[in-house]
């Protein structure tokens, strides 16, 4: 129990911020407890009520008034707000929320400082009725604290949370099987220290090539922060005269195509390129790639989250873990 000492308002009485700090929760959670909102966990509610009693806190009418966040909100935690991957995720979330009485707020956790802020009491993400966790930083931040909201993980398999992911091993497999049908040496280009789901892509690609009795002659690893066009230029210097190149993502594949064109090398003849992701520019340049159903993944994740929120509001017993694994497909175009 707290000693009753802490921040005081101008009147000398404890404030809602004092209660939130002592209970280790956000101001929004205290407001939900005062307004008897059903989204607060029982143990959290009891802890806040005990702090209120111990501090002899008397809420003002403003504290009892539902916060703007009491209007339904979904929080999306992403690495950034500018990449093609993230924009496709947001588009899928918006599809699921169409016709729903929910707003959307997004948080970029691309820096360690921003990721650490999520774990702090009073972070705005605590005002959401549910969270979509789109990268490892978001998942770690959510796991490291007691959060009253349900959450769903996008793009990765977890043991303790609902998730929707893409079967990237299968995506690599179908790319490898196709690459094995093409003439020339087979080369794979991967990110160094890549995430588990991208390691699955590499593994599947090797399995697909070897299932046809062929071998990947070279695996080239690149740094995530390397300049794409510099990497592409160096790759062209290292490739065999006739090669089929599988890249870890469409961005590098597009840079490779651009650099080849600058050198007068026709892509699709002796040099064949296969990407991964099928982002918007891929179809424009005729890139053969593996289509990841990112919008569908985000839509289904949001639907799972809405179900969990409704389950909590109704006081229904929680269901067992829900998960879905989506199947990518090969988009055949002119570069391979």
């Amino acid at each position: 129990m707290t000693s009753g000492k802490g921040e005081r308002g101008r009147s000398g009485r404890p404030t809602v911020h004092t209660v939130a700090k002592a209970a280790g929760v956000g101001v929004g959670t205290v407001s939900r407890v005062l307004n008897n909102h059903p989204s607060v966990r029982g143990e959290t509610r009891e802890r806040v009520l005990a702090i209120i009693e111990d501090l002899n806190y008397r809420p003002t009418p403003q504290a009892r008034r539902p916060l703007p966040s009491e209007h339904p909100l979904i929080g999306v935690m992403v690495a950034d707000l500018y990449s093609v991957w993230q924009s496709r995720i947001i588009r899928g979330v918006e599809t699921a929320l169409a016709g729903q009485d929910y707003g959307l707020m997004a948080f970029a956790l691309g820096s360690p400082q921003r990721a650490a802020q999520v774990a702090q009491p009073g972070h705005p993400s605590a005002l959401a009725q549910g969270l979509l966790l789109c990268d490892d930083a978001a998942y770690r931040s959510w796991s490291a604290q007691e959060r009253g909201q349900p959450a769903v993980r996008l793009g990765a398999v977890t043991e303790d949370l609902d998730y929707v992911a893409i079967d990237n091993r299968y995506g690599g497999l179908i790319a490898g099987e196709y690459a094995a049908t093409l003439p020339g040496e087979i080369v794979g280009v991967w990110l160094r220290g890549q995430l588990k789901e991208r390691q699955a892509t590499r593994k599947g690609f090797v399995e697909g090539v070897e299932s046809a009795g062929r071998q990947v002659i070279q695996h080239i690893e690149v740094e995530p922060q390397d300049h794409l066009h510099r990497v592409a230029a160096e790759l062209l210097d290292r490739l065999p005269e006739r090669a089929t190149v599988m890249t870890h993502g469409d961005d590098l594949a597009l840079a490779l195509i651009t650099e080849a064109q600058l050198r007068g090398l026709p892509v699709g003849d002796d040099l064949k390129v296969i990407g991964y992701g099928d982002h918007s520019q891929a179809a424009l340049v005729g890139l053969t790639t593996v289509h990841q159903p990112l919008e569908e993944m985000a839509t289904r994740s949001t639907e799972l989250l809405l179900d969990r929120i409704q389950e909590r509001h109704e006081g229904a017993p929680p269901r067992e873990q829900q998960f879905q694994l989506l199947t990518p497909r090969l988009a055949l175009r002119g570069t391979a």
Side-chain angles (χ1 to χ4, degrees), residues 111-175:
S111 69
Q113 293 81 4
R114 286 192 177 275
Q117 288 171 358
V118 177
Q120 300 301 315
H123 189 268
S125 62
L127 303 178
Q129 275 65 52
L131 296 173
L132 295 168
L133 311 177
C134 299
D135 65 1
D136 283 343
Y139 175 68
R140 287 193 299 269
S141 296
W142 179 88
S143 301
Q145 57 191 303
E146 283 190 31
R147 298 298 289 262
Q149 311 123 301
V152 174
R153 178 73 167 94
L154 278 74
V157 175
T158 64
E159 296 182 356
D160 59 343
L161 202 61
D162 294 346
Y163 68 83
V164 181
I166 295 172
D167 189 348
N168 286 313
R169 189 202 67 83
Y170 179 75
L173 179 73
I174 57 178

Side-chain angles (χ1 to χ4, degrees), residues 270-294:
D270 288 341
L271 173 62
K272 301 183 186 299
V273 179
I274 302 173
Y276 201 91
D278 199 15
H279 297 327
S280 55
Q281 283 185 288
L284 294 177
V285 302
L287 174 64
T288 290
T289 185
V290 175
H291 174 79
Q292 286 184 302
L294 298 181

Side-chain angles (χ1 to χ4, degrees), residues 236-250:
L236 288 176
D237 292 336
R238 299 173 60 179
L239 292 177
E241 185 176 344
R242 301 183 71 193
T244 294
V245 183
M246 168 72 181
T247 66
H248 62 82
D250 283 352

Side-chain angles (χ1 to χ4, degrees), residues 2 5 26 34 40 62 66 71 106 119 140 167 176 216 232 241 260 281:
T2 178
K5 297 179 180 180
L34 294 172
V40 183
Q62 288 79 11
H71 299 294
R140 287 193 299 269
D167 189 348
V216 181
E241 185 176 344
Q281 283 185 288

